[in-house]
Amino acid sequence: MNKSEIDALIQQASALMEQQHYPAAERLLEQVLAEDGEQSDALALAGKMAADRRLWFKALPLLERAIAINPGVAWYWNLHGIVNGELRNTEVAYQSFVQALKLNPNAYNIWGNLGTLCMKFDTDKAEQCFLKALELNPNDTYTLTNFG
């Protein structure tokens, strides 16, 4: 299987996940990972799929593998932060969001996620994060709901 075929399968899996067709998406990702077990996007998507299903302990090692292979992808770190936040690993979640923002400082969704996490321990920092998210995207419903 060549790179373009792998990329097409990953795109198909992502589209299926958006429609919540998880078994079909899982089969495609398994096919990709059987071909290339180090395919970081497939690992991260498998981690996202587990997180979408609230299977935090299944998601975490998949995301950690994706990050180990390709640490320069902000959305891997963002997902890692979300999962660790759900597992109450607050410091790890915080550091993951910070790393994601170093890689993509204009990602309003990551600012919103960091703000939500900070609500647990630093409301001033949370407010700063929510304001930054709204500065980047004034129509962000997630931030408006959590901050408003």
Side-chain angles (χ1 to χ4, degrees):
M1 194 178 315
N2 65 38
K3 182 178 175 357
S4 64
E5 292 170 325
I6 287 174
D7 289 345
L9 288 176
I10 290 171
Q11 287 178 343
Q12 289 173 19
S14 181
L16 288 166
M17 286 172 56
E18 287 178 25
Q19 300 168 5
Q20 297 184 347
H21 294 296
Y22 295 118
E26 194 165 29
R27 284 191 296 275
L28 290 177
L29 293 174
E30 286 171 356
Q31 187 178 347
V32 169
L33 291 170
E35 182 73 23
D36 178 3
E38 300 295 300
Q39 215 305 330
S40 60
D41 284 344
L43 289 164
L45 272 179
K48 182 183 183 326
M49 183 167 31
D52 287 350
R53 297 155 93 182
R54 304 187 66 78
L55 301 171
W56 311 121
F57 289 105
K58 182 177 180 179
L60 192 57
L62 292 163
L63 295 169
E64 288 176 346
R65 277 184 59 204
I67 288 169
I69 294 163
N70 191 353
V73 181
W75 74 272
Y76 297 0
W77 287 102
N78 184 49
L79 285 170
H80 192 258
I82 291 168
V83 170
N84 275 288
E86 291 292 337
L87 292 172
R88 293 179 172 63
N89 299 331
T90 304
E91 183 58 32
V92 174
Y94 183 87
Q95 293 303 324
S96 295
F97 290 136
V98 167
Q99 182 60 33
L101 288 168
K102 285 180 185 174
L103 295 167
N104 187 356
N106 295 320
Y108 68 89
N109 61 317
I110 300 171
W111 282 106
N113 290 337
L114 180 58
T116 300
L117 180 72
C118 288
M119 288 297 293
K120 299 175 183 177
F121 58 88
D122 186 343
T123 55
D124 290 337
K125 177 73 172 170
E127 183 177 351
Q128 292 171 3
C129 293
F130 288 138
L131 289 172
K132 181 65 176 180
L134 290 173
E135 175 188 318
L136 293 167
N137 182 358
N139 300 315
D140 176 32
T141 56
Y142 174 84
T143 301
L144 290 169
T145 300
N146 285 289
F147 183 54

